[in-house]
Amino acid sequence: MKKIISYFENLTITTNQLLFFTCCYIALVLNLPFLSKASTAITALDNYNVLFLISLPIFLLSLSVVFQGIFSFRWLTKPLLITTVIISSLIFYGTITYGIVFDYGMVQNTLETDSAEALSYVNLHASLFFLIFGVLPSFIIYKVKLTYKPFFRELLTRLKIITFSFAVVLLIASVFYSNYAAVGRNNKDLLGYVTPYKMADASYKFVRNHYFYPPMKFQVLDTAPTIVRDSSRKHVTVMVLGETARAQSFSLNGYTKPTNQYTETQGVISFSNMSSCGTATAVSVPCMFSRLNKDNYSKRKSTAQQNAVDLIHLAGADILWISNNNGSCKGVCTRVKTLQVDTDKSNPLCDGEYCFDEALLAPLKKKLNSLTNENTLIVLHMIGSHGPTYFKRYPSSKSVFTPDCQRSDIQNCSQEQLINTYDNTIAYTDLVLSKVINQLSELDKKDNIESSLLYISDHGESLGESGVYLHGLPYAFAPEEQTHVPMIFWADPIQNDFNTKCLSDLSKAPISHDNVFDTLLSIMSVKSTAYDIENDPFIDCKSEHAIARTTTSQKLDMEIID
């Protein structure tokens, strides 16, 4: 080792040589996922051009030299190249291990991730990978000695290299333009794997959109929503916001393993054809509560207008948002009362960083025992099935399926272990939902309070299908495992707003997060100009008197407030 270190310490090269060798490493090693996927797409063509295939790594290398050569000059050379290698190695690990694409959405997810969640990805496998592909090459770059020519002479040499590389790019583009265009048009996901330039582009756009665009004026969708009920009883709805649960793993939806053994006997209705707005919490949570839909959603727009929670609160309902997801309501609960579950180790359900979702039950019970408003909405935000540390989402005593995967580098577990571990998180979620329903049922028996429960997950999860793990792929080519999510509804027998037999008959109809806004208003009997009857999947099963109470003009009036 000392000889190797000594060799690089005594090695003297020019900045242009270091630039070229580093770009070779970035383009030909750290971009292996891109080169592999692009090569597969090319060779899958009926009559592919071999020269076109050969041009691909040359094209990528030349582009790397152009981009890096513009900024990595003289004393900036080492810091910028080391930074690029470090970032690229992390992207390389995420892509090759989990199939992650570092696009705009993933940049947003990364920047909004808390330290505890980020540390869940740290393990021996990740550390060794980063040491070999990130730290070691960076150490070599740091140790080599650079010789500098006079400034203008070195600048001229650098311009020659950049010009030559750019000429190669133009030559390849002109000769194989139709080939690149065809492959790119039919494989739009490929650009997401170009390391680290796709992430650099996405990071620039994220920073621009969030820190340099002027704030939008706040839009009030309805200034005077109201709650109209005929019943003299108090009403409470608990919305359980799930995390990383995929519909395919629910036995209520036909899954062969008994993951819903608790709720299946409680008269719940599972809507088995539900799709998400996004493939990550940062998009799906604010989107499902927003009047916007998947096609026109943007965080900037959604945070600048009332959401469903705001309207229900303005209508007079008491709202409490209880989070076991590190306070991550993504802006939805900004204007209502919130409660974060304390992760202190003194709670046997917590380990100092995370709590099992049963920790939500105590604050829920406390709230249900002190209802003062005629109408109450309680949102329980779960940690659910958040990976990759699935084994930390359920107590060992609640492990139903074995053997499971007791590690965070899930790609090194067998498929059986991984599936069992994930299924244990779903079974545990089902247990928590069952206990919530039991608490609500007690309200009917003791206090004659009508209640309902709505459970919806934010997005799904990939568990190694086609080599993809976790979630967050761009929606356009995300697998069904990441977009097909569960939705469960329960209502106690004393409520008369909905015909549950009718809802059960409609449970296989296609719906999405786009319907959540109006579904929530409907369940809470909110009369509002923001309500869209055409977008309410429950409307066909709502009693006639309930429809008459809450339906208003479908025209959406908006007031803009500075």
Side-chain angles (χ1 to χ4, degrees), residues 310-484:
D310 293 327
L311 288 171
I312 296 169
H313 187 225
L314 184 61
D318 181 21
I319 297 183
L320 176 62
W321 186 293
I322 308 174
S323 178
N324 188 35
N325 201 299
N326 297 309
S328 182
C329 73
K330 305 303 180 184
V332 176
C333 63
T334 302
R335 292 169 287 275
V336 298
K337 185 179 179 181
T338 60
L339 176 64
Q340 173 65 41
V341 172
D342 190 352
T343 60
D344 191 88
K345 290 184 179 180
S346 60
N347 186 335
L349 293 169
C350 307
D351 63 6
E353 291 184 347
Y354 294 105
C355 295
F356 299 126
D357 279 324
E358 281 180 284
L360 290 164
L361 298 176
L364 171 64
K365 185 175 183 179
K366 182 178 179 180
K367 180 63 178 177
L368 293 179
N369 287 338
S370 58
L371 296 175
T372 57
N373 198 297
E374 292 300 308
N375 297 279
T376 303
L377 172 65
I378 304 169
V379 181
L380 303 180
H381 194 176
M382 298 178 123
I383 189 68
S385 304
H386 201 290
T389 51
Y390 304 118
F391 67 97
K392 291 186 177 182
R393 305 295 168 246
Y394 55 92
S396 57
S397 61
K398 299 296 192 299
S399 180
V400 181
F401 310 106
T402 57
D404 57 4
C405 176
Q406 294 284 321
R407 54 198 296 176
S408 61
D409 51 340
I410 54 178
Q411 72 282 359
N412 292 319
C413 291
S414 69
Q415 190 66 8
E416 179 190 12
Q417 290 173 320
L418 178 57
I419 296 295
N420 281 342
T421 309
Y422 183 82
D423 288 346
N424 281 333
T425 68
I426 301 300
Y428 182 64
T429 291
D430 189 66
L431 172 64
V432 176
L433 291 178
S434 175
K435 290 187 175 184
V436 173
I437 291 173
N438 289 338
Q439 288 193 21
L440 293 176
S441 297
E442 287 299 313
L443 294 177
D444 173 14
K445 296 175 183 176
K446 293 190 305 181
D447 305 310
N448 198 33
I449 298 175
E450 63 180 36
S451 59
S452 61
L453 174 141
L454 180 67
Y455 167 81
I456 304 174
S457 182
D458 56 354
H459 54 78
E461 186 86 329
S462 290
L463 299 174
E465 297 88 0
S466 302
V468 179
Y469 295 85
L470 305 176
H471 55 267
L473 283 180
Y475 204 98
F477 59 90
E480 185 181 14
E481 289 81 11
Q482 295 188 26
T483 61
H484 185 198

Side-chain angles (χ1 to χ4, degrees), residues 130-242:
F130 178 60
L131 181 65
I132 294 170
F133 290 97
V135 176
L136 184 58
S138 298
F139 180 75
I140 292 173
I141 295 172
Y142 172 74
K143 281 295 183 180
V144 296
K145 294 180 180 178
L146 295 181
T147 58
Y148 298 104
K149 299 177 182 178
F151 180 83
F152 288 106
R153 184 179 174 187
E154 185 167 342
L155 178 61
L156 180 61
T157 304
R158 176 59 59 85
L159 289 174
K160 288 181 180 179
I161 292 174
I162 293 175
T163 302
F164 176 77
S165 299
F166 190 66
V168 172
V169 169
L170 291 179
L171 178 62
I172 293 176
S174 62
V175 174
F176 299 108
Y177 172 78
S178 59
N179 303 85
Y180 277 98
V183 172
R185 185 167 54 249
N186 296 322
N187 301 273
K188 295 182 179 180
D189 61 312
L190 281 178
L191 283 179
Y193 293 94
V194 180
T195 303
Y197 308 111
K198 178 62 178 179
M199 194 198 76
D201 174 66
S203 299
Y204 159 74
K205 291 177 180 177
F206 180 85
V207 172
R208 178 198 65 189
N209 293 350
H210 287 75
Y211 301 107
F212 291 95
Y213 278 173
M216 298 180 68
K217 293 181 178 180
F218 194 83
Q219 292 180 324
V220 175
L221 305 183
D222 188 352
T223 58
T226 57
I227 294 178
V228 282
R229 290 187 184 277
D230 291 339
S231 174
S232 60
R233 294 185 291 265
K234 289 182 179 179
H235 174 91
V236 58
T237 289
V238 174
M239 179 178 181
V240 183
L241 184 54

Side-chain angles (χ1 to χ4, degrees), residues 531-548:
Y531 170 74
D532 183 356
I533 192 173
E534 300 296 330
N535 202 50
D536 179 4
F538 283 20
I539 192 64
D540 289 337
C541 300
K542 202 166 188 178
S543 61
E544 291 184 7
H545 73 280
I547 294 176

Side-chain angles (χ1 to χ4, degrees), residues 285-300:
V285 169
C287 181
M288 76 167 78
F289 287 94
S290 171
R291 176 71 282 174
L292 304 170
N293 56 40
K294 185 178 81 66
D295 293 332
N296 65 7
Y297 170 80
S298 79
K299 181 178 180 180
R300 191 162 175 262

Side-chain angles (χ1 to χ4, degrees), residues 269 271 489 498-507 537-538 541:
I269 301 168
F271 292 81
F489 180 71
F498 299 101
N499 182 324
T500 53
K501 173 62 168 62
C502 173
L503 287 176
S504 183
D505 291 341
L506 295 177
S507 62
F538 283 20
C541 300

